[in-house]
Amino acid sequence: MLDDDLDGKLFVIKDARSALEHQPLAVARLKQLLNRIQRHHRGAAAVVLVSETLHIPPQIEAQITLLPLPLPRGEEIVEQIGRVCRECDLLVPESLQQRLQAACSGLSQEEIRSALAMVRLQHEQINDAALALIQREKEQIIAKSGVLEMLRVNASAADIGGLENLKQWLERRAQIFRRLGEAREARVQAPKGVLIAGMPGCGKSLTAKAAAGLFQLPLLRLDIGSLLGKYVGESEHNMRRALTMAESVSPCILWIDELEKAFVGMTSGSGSEVSSRLFGYFLTWMQEKTGAVFVIATANNVAALPPELLRKGRFDEVFYVGFPNAIERGAILDIQLRGETLELDDEQRRQLVSQCRDYAGADIQNAINEARETAFLADRALTFSDLEAAIDSTVPLRETLREQVAEYEEIFEKLKLKPASRCDGLSVAQMIQMAESANALRREEVARNEDCPDDLLEKLALDPVGEIRNAVYRNPNCPERVLTLRINIDEGAAGFDRELLHLACLHPHAPQDLLASRFQWLALKPDQRRQLAVKSSHESLLRQLLHDEDTEVRVALAHNRHLGIDGQRQLGKDTEDAVRLALAGNPLLSGELQSLLSRDPSGEVRATLARLPTLGEKAQLNLGQTTISTSCLRWRLATLMRNCQRRCRWS
Ligand code: ADP
């Protein structure tokens, strides 16, 4: 070539990538040739590099013009189908023409040829099975491109818990998309796409998949990671190819997952050149795309996205997906438990919803999977306790991503993105912002909110305003950690506050062992001790309350079903009738104490005992033999009537 006269010559280098990649000598020779053409044969000779994938060595980049060959469209596809079918004698029924054309869109001439040739091996004419075969072939070809993946999904909007605003918005767009021709005539703009940004594990990908069902369109996933090639120019080429492919498959949904990855380094100021070019290309495409491609872009880190992308007009709408609120958590629980034999009652459901307050949907799913695993290994059906234990032991995403999550939530709030959830109360992002407010009333509102996450309650427990601290300890979801810290502050030490101490002691989440060990020092008022005596189940704490000087406290204790035999013995000897009376009504009273109280000097105690549904035979006999006052006889008779099925022997 060097000696040849180059005028009037066209050099075609096939499979240019393998000819030039890692071949410095070949690249140098090519460069020499290009220089000669440029200097002495301009316009009279040319080199054409043909390659399936783009590879331009940097040394010759300036001398190369890129000419992408688009995939065949509309008429070209029909022509190619007609040609191949004639050649291989494959019949296409009139009724299936359209579907065959749709199945072949997105394929190159050669790919259409090989797909139809493969069909011909099994079928003489196009039918449903043949179309399915082409579809599978196409999925493989698309997957092999390494940039796009065709997903088969069967998610529907019913699989998404909450996110009502987003679901409703998508439903409207789907309706327009289904009637695109009519919509265009009515001058309704064709939907472009939506950006869904927000917390990880909160249903963004799930929504993209459900949208495919809603729109009844194929779903193509664009993998940003594989888009970013290591060669100069490769990323753009990949992006161009992916977008062209999506257009040729249209109508379809193009799901761009983790969109922020395409723009790494752009917002930091250093500005990666590749990312900027990619971004520019993507924006132009979004603006000018003609094919019916509905883009659903999802992103976790909105801070990494260029602000131009969030501007109205690029996407039809930008939605923010936050952590699910109580109603949404309930809906997610129901969805994830669908098909289980376990039926939760209202109280159990409410408890689980409250237990997973700052959980993402993915955390709830993980906890339920773990509970299922536990039940399976124990060879039994799933129970409420399995769920309770699994949720308890799950470390939510929000905990592990604490720093980022707080940052993201602030950004979402600042950008005023449209919330995906329909929320009556406060969202976590709003609460985070309000907890910082200079307005004490706002902070107090957060402290009182039952949906407030633990970390915010911990922060507000140290608030300088007393009412706010107070609201934290009154919050039914005040975390145990906050209560423990409060109970541990000694009198006289900094931060000691008796009112808060007492609120902490009476909180249902207060650690009972700690209360028991510090009981003498707590100086609780009789009414507070009574409240503990009613509900505590801690043995040592109950033992300390047995000797309480206040009768009401001992009465409350006598009612407590967790009272052990020693406690019952102690209260059975109590000099106050009211205490023994309460004990006589305790359904878990032991046989020994029943016998003792059946000989009690107080007729009222004996009458109460007589009504006990768990009354043993010995006590029944004793009660039958004792003389009781006429006023109590009524009790006894009534009991007798009720107990007759027990073969009562004291008639
Ligand atoms: P991301 O927001 O990170 O894309 P995904 O959509 O992948 O999160 O969620 C992971 C899993 O968590 C889903 O497959 C689904 O099972 C569960 N999940 C998350 N959010 C919801 C929700 N709102 N409704 C039902 N399931 C959910």
Side-chain angles (χ1 to χ4, degrees), residues 478 480 483-484 487 503-515:
C478 183
E480 186 180 322
L483 302 169
T484 304
I487 297 170
L503 277 177
C505 291
L506 297 178
H507 197 283
H509 297 164
Q512 300 285 300
D513 47 353
L514 183 64
L515 285 183

Side-chain angles (χ1 to χ4, degrees), residues 159-161 199-206 332 336 361-362 365:
D159 297 320
I160 307 175
M199 298 304 143
C202 287
K204 298 186 296 297
S205 312
L206 184 63
I332 297 172
Q336 302 288 350
Q365 187 198 26

Side-chain angles (χ1 to χ4, degrees), residues 159-163 198-207 209 255 257 298 300 321 324 328 331-332 335-336 360-366 397:
D159 297 320
I160 307 175
L163 311 186
M199 298 304 143
C202 287
K204 298 186 296 297
S205 312
L206 184 63
T207 307
K209 290 176 195 160
W255 168 28
D257 197 11
T298 53
N300 288 333
V321 176
E328 295 183 312
I332 297 172
I335 288 169
Q336 302 288 350
D363 295 321
I364 299 179
Q365 187 198 26
N366 285 345
L397 280 164

